[in-house]
Amino acid sequence: MTTESISLPVDGMTCSACAARVERRLSELDGVDNASVNYATERAVVSHHGVTSSELVKTIEHAGSGVRTLVAETIIAGDDLVARLDDLENMLHDVHGVVSITSEPDNDSDGQLLSVRYIPELVDPTSLSDAFEQARGSDSHVISASEAAEEIARQESGRYSKLKQKLLVAALLSAAIMYLSMNGTVF
């Protein structure tokens, strides 16, 4: 088997110990030759053979962190529903960067709602859209590359807002402790 390298965007690491834990868990996974997790860049670079991106994401999630993903959905209905759904799921399982595929009944259309969780840096939204359109036999909407970038920016903005709030609280508490310690007040 050939060795392949993949770079994953990791979320939820709060310190270098978190990065070390994710790196250790990835390194323990069968088929992983080398794993390097950088806390500062929030990236995991994994050299592997025979390991799916889904397995890598699950391992990172079990280590207490996450991978930035998006979900694309479409509704499959009509004739040959089961066959078209199976064909689409089989095709998407082979796409590197697809993390999970789920389907459930759609009450509004008497069809199946297919949800595909994927890593936007590894999967071209156009290829998902083409696959959905082929399976549906009509247009379907998959988040475009620019929409994916906007969604990631929104997620990052929310994360930075939370970090700013934590920093503000920490600064206020630190100032209060400094003030009390300078005035000779003992806790």
Side-chain angles (χ1 to χ4, degrees), residues 17-176:
C18 296
R21 182 176 54 248
V22 171
E23 185 173 307
R24 186 177 63 251
R25 295 271 175 89
L26 286 169
S27 296
E28 292 169 352
L29 190 62
D30 286 337
V32 170
D33 300 323
N34 184 32
S36 174
V37 180
N38 188 316
Y39 170 64
T41 61
E42 298 181 320
R43 306 226 39 99
V45 178
V46 182
S47 297
H48 65 91
H49 57 278
V51 181
T52 66
S53 51
S54 177
E55 291 172 306
L56 295 172
V57 170
K58 286 178 187 174
T59 301
I60 291 170
E61 289 172 346
H62 286 272
S65 294
V67 175
R68 288 188 288 279
T69 60
L70 295 176
V71 176
E73 296 179 329
T74 191
I75 296 172
I76 310 287
D79 298 335
D80 298 329
L81 169 69
V82 174
R84 287 186 291 132
L85 195 59
D86 286 344
D87 289 345
L88 182 59
E89 286 182 8
N90 289 334
M91 182 184 70
L92 291 174
H93 274 293
D94 295 334
V95 175
H96 194 61
V98 170
V99 176
S100 65
I101 303 167
T102 58
S103 63
E104 59 187 50
D106 180 58
N107 299 329
D108 297 333
S109 68
D110 293 329
Q112 289 283 340
L113 173 66
L114 183 77
S115 299
V116 179
R117 181 176 170 217
Y118 67 99
I119 303 168
E121 295 176 8
L122 301 177
V123 177
D124 178 25
T126 307
S127 64
L128 277 181
S129 184
D130 291 345
F132 283 1
E133 186 174 330
Q134 188 176 29
R136 285 185 56 167
S138 62
D139 290 335
S140 64
H141 179 72
V142 174
I143 191 167
S144 69
S146 62
E147 290 171 322
E150 289 171 9
E151 177 64 23
I152 291 169
R154 271 193 297 279
Q155 290 173 359
E156 289 293 315
S157 176
R159 198 175 105 226
Y160 287 126
S161 294
K162 288 178 185 176
L163 287 175
K164 284 181 195 177
Q165 289 173 347
K166 288 180 180 181
L167 177 63
L168 180 61
V169 168
L172 290 173
L173 292 174
S174 297

